[in-house]
Amino acid sequence: MLLKVKGLKVKGDGKEILKGVNLDIKKGEVQALLGPNASGKSTLAHAILGNPRYKITHGEVVFDGKNITKFPPEKRAKLGIALSWQNPPAIKGVRLSLLLSNISKHKANESLLKNLSEREVNLNFSGGEKKISELTQILSLRPKLVIFDEIDSGLDIKKIKEFSMIIKKELVDKKVSVILITHSGEVLKFLKPSLINIMIKGEIVCRQKDCKKVLETIKKYGYEKCREKSTLLSEG
Amino acid sequence: MVTKNVEKKAHYFQRDNKIVNLSDIKGVEILSSKDAWKKYDWVKRHFSSKPIEGYFIWVKEQISFPLVSCLLLASHNAKQNLQNLIIIEKGLKVCLVGTCTSAKKTLHGTHKAQGKIILKEGATLDYKHSHSWGEQDILESNYLFLLGKKSHLSYILNLASSPKKFNMENEMIVSEKASCDFKLKGIFNLTRGNIQDRLILKGKDSSGQVQLRMAVKKKSKVSAISEIRADASGKGHLDCQGLLVEKGSSILLEPRLTCNNKEAQITHEASVGKISEEQLNYLRMRGFSETEAIKLIINGFLKV
């Protein structure tokens, strides 16, 4: 197992957000995490990366056999965990090319970046440009596990397909594990996860292997019904 | 700290109170201020008193390379008391690279500089001025920039490492159709700093902008009063920003706009803030240590 999240309880701003989450990801596996807004999906991603804003009050995170629960974010990044942020912050005065040369010895994918490399990191970037910036950074890091937080938000279907194909070619085909966080599910049509996790109010309420069936069920009943329909969305 | 490269390149190089090099350049007269005082009567009105030390640079013809000056504190308790005068003749375009620095961190030196920079009609000066001091040094600096008609000044002062006391006053007087771009940026460490600058739009259609960027660390207290005064129909903008890096530091930022002409347009923006936790965490998730991330954010902030 590459990542093992065991009974994770997390507080943010003093409020309990995650209420005992379990998650296992194998090497090279693609999983999805679906849920309505504010269900705790991003909190889980940030907690796995060690964002100090979120406090783990219970449980542990094990990566590549190491208990990393108390590791600082930079140590987790160096072990090979990367997060593509949903809304990455702008960093004034720092060119993207400088950031890329600092985070990795590996040359960044110039064809992906186009004219972004000499611009200040995420400053006045459009939604699509932010995703390109995030993806380029992630690829430069050569990670073992990548969490994409809402990679499909703000992108049209053509762009979602384009990004998905890059993720497949550069990560999935190279046996990098991927967690796709989404609430629309569009990206799942192209990246075919082996397991869908549904999160509601800080808990993973069900898991299912059949992506199409899950999306149909969500469309039909809504997320809120998932807990009730957990027999339908049973453990795969 | 001064590099061997700057020492070699400097057309005027002073170590403590001794002039080490004074270059002979065609079209440029470089003298000690003391000698300039003796040689030219007209020079006397530009000094507040008879100079003891300092440089006189008079650019009379177009040159194709940057002029380099270096003022170095090299000995323990060294005290410099400089009066500098730079004159750029009509229509000339000049680049000046100035370094004021201390050779070591713990010299307890004093660098006191008073100066006047005169740009005659249509002249352009691109002045890159860097300061780097030891933590026990004292700096006192007072400069007046006189910008003649249709002249242009681009001045960047970069404080790479700050002294114990940093007192700096600058006044820029801008004539008709002249423009001034004044930038001061620095990292203040264990420093008591006082910065005062005033841009005076004196002539019709004059323009100018002042940008201050101060990153304040380790119990430093910095006060900056920055003013634009419009006496004529000019345009000016003031942009002052402070970054409080550590607890126990403080910044007093006072932008001032004084408008004495109804045709003038002067504006300002000012802010003081701390390093964003979000930026810090973002960079740490990219593998930067907290210290490296702070350094990167500060360097970005200081880029103006």
Side-chain angles (χ1 to χ4, degrees), chain B residues 26-42:
Chain B
K26 190 183 171 291
V28 182
E29 190 168 1
I30 306 177
L31 299 171
S32 70
S33 296
K34 222 169 152 180
D35 287 345
W37 175 277
K38 281 183 210 158
K39 191 172 175 181
Y40 300 112
D41 259 355
W42 58 267

Side-chain angles (χ1 to χ4, degrees), chain A:
Chain A
M1 203 58 67
L2 183 68
L3 177 77
K4 207 163 177 56
V5 176
K6 293 191 256 183
L8 207 65
K9 291 185 181 176
V10 173
K11 277 187 176 177
D13 297 326
K15 191 184 158 195
E16 188 166 69
I17 303 171
L18 299 186
K19 297 161 184 169
V21 172
N22 296 303
L23 189 72
D24 291 348
I25 310 279
K26 290 178 204 145
K27 190 180 177 224
E29 192 183 11
V30 179
Q31 287 197 22
L33 182 61
L34 271 78
N37 289 336
S39 57
K41 306 185 295 297
S42 295
T43 300
L44 177 60
H46 283 263
I48 291 170
L49 264 293
N51 188 333
R53 203 184 143 194
Y54 300 99
K55 199 179 169 208
I56 295 175
T57 55
H58 183 266
E60 58 184 33
V61 181
V62 178
F63 182 74
D64 227 358
K66 289 187 185 76
N67 186 338
I68 62 164
T69 316
K70 290 184 177 166
F71 282 18
E74 56 270 31
K75 203 168 171 184
R76 300 181 197 215
K78 287 198 165 99
L79 283 173
I81 314 176
L83 170 67
S84 168
W85 285 46
Q86 184 183 358
N87 290 308
I91 305 173
K92 259 189 163 182
V94 178
R95 281 176 291 117
L96 184 55
S97 58
L98 177 74
L99 181 66
L100 286 163
S101 65
N102 271 281
I103 61 175
S104 171
K105 287 172 192 161
H106 305 293
K107 207 173 177 310
N109 187 330
E110 291 292 336
S111 61
L112 200 62
L113 277 176
K114 292 176 185 149
N115 58 352
L116 288 183
S117 62
E118 293 313 306
R119 286 174 60 187
E120 292 164 74
V121 178
N122 299 322
L123 189 69
N124 301 324
F125 280 18
S126 67
E129 286 170 338
K130 281 181 187 167
K131 304 291 180 199
I132 292 171
S133 163
E134 289 297 285
L135 187 55
T136 313
Q137 290 177 53
I138 299 294
L139 296 181
S140 291
L141 286 165
R142 307 270 169 109
K144 293 177 185 168
L145 167 72
V146 185
I147 306 173
F148 286 100
D149 194 359
E150 303 284 2
I151 187 82
D152 47 0
S153 69
L155 296 180
D156 59 39
I157 197 78
K158 196 181 158 198
K159 280 280 174 210
I160 293 172
K161 189 177 178 186
E162 205 180 301
F163 274 74
S164 301
M165 291 305 107
I166 297 168
I167 292 168
K168 186 174 182 315
K169 188 183 162 205
E170 301 295 336
L171 298 169
V172 179
D173 291 352
K174 290 177 181 171
K175 299 283 172 211
V176 174
S177 306
V178 171
I179 301 174
L180 299 162
I181 295 177
T182 177
H183 67 268
S184 74
E186 283 299 330
V187 71
L188 308 184
K189 291 175 187 167
F190 305 104
L191 281 169
K192 313 248 182 310
S194 57
L195 197 64
I196 318 284
N197 303 274
I198 306 290
M199 181 177 264
I200 297 174
K201 291 178 182 168
E203 288 175 283
I204 292 178
V205 295
C206 49
R207 294 186 165 89
Q208 172 65 274
K209 281 183 177 173
D210 190 336
C211 180
K212 205 176 162 188
K213 194 172 165 187
V214 175
L215 293 175
E216 276 170 13
T217 309
I218 290 167
K219 203 175 171 186
K220 197 171 172 186
Y221 298 101
Y223 286 111
E224 296 304 322
K225 297 281 180 188
C226 283
R227 202 191 299 265
E228 295 164 28
K229 298 279 172 189
S230 57
T231 45
L232 180 65
L233 298 175
S234 58
E235 294 268 348

Side-chain angles (χ1 to χ4, degrees), chain B residues 11 25-31 40 42 55-68 85-97 117-121 123-126:
Chain B
H11 300 105
I25 302 166
K26 190 183 171 291
V28 182
E29 190 168 1
I30 306 177
L31 299 171
Y40 300 112
W42 58 267
Y55 58 72
F56 166 84
I57 299 175
W58 184 10
V59 186
K60 301 173 195 175
E61 291 174 26
Q62 185 61 52
I63 47 168
S64 56
F65 50 87
L67 291 170
V68 180
L85 177 62
I86 299 170
I87 301 164
I88 316 290
E89 281 299 333
K90 279 184 180 178
L92 301 181
K93 289 183 178 174
V94 176
C95 291
L96 182 61
V97 179
I117 294 168
I118 302 168
L119 274 68
K120 295 202 177 169
E121 187 175 341
T124 296
L125 176 62
D126 182 0

Side-chain angles (χ1 to χ4, degrees), chain A residues 46 49 51-52 72-74 77-78 83 85 88-94 98-99 102-103 122 134 137 141, chain B residues 213 241 276-292 296-297 299-303:
Chain A
H46 283 263
L49 264 293
N51 188 333
E74 56 270 31
K78 287 198 165 99
L83 170 67
W85 285 46
I91 305 173
K92 259 189 163 182
V94 178
L98 177 74
L99 181 66
N102 271 281
I103 61 175
N122 299 322
E134 289 297 285
Q137 290 177 53
L141 286 165
Chain B
R213 294 286 184 276
Q241 289 183 36
S276 139
E277 288 293 320
E278 197 186 26
Q279 287 180 342
L280 199 59
N281 294 333
Y282 180 71
L283 292 172
R284 291 180 74 188
M285 285 187 203
R286 295 291 184 249
F288 290 87
S289 69
E290 194 172 349
T291 312
E292 288 166 344
L296 191 72
I297 293 166
N299 286 341
F301 168 79
L302 292 176
K303 274 194 187 134

Side-chain angles (χ1 to χ4, degrees), chain B residues 157-160 184-188 213-216 298 301-302:
Chain B
L157 188 136
N158 181 29
L159 177 67
L184 191 155
K185 55 182 181 170
I187 302 172
F188 295 84
R213 294 286 184 276
M214 298 166 294
V216 177
I298 291 174
F301 168 79
L302 292 176

Side-chain angles (χ1 to χ4, degrees), chain B residues 99-113:
Chain B
T99 303
C100 299
T101 187
S102 187
K104 286 180 189 166
K105 281 189 171 179
T106 51
L107 288 177
H108 295 258
T110 302
H111 174 89
K112 195 173 170 186

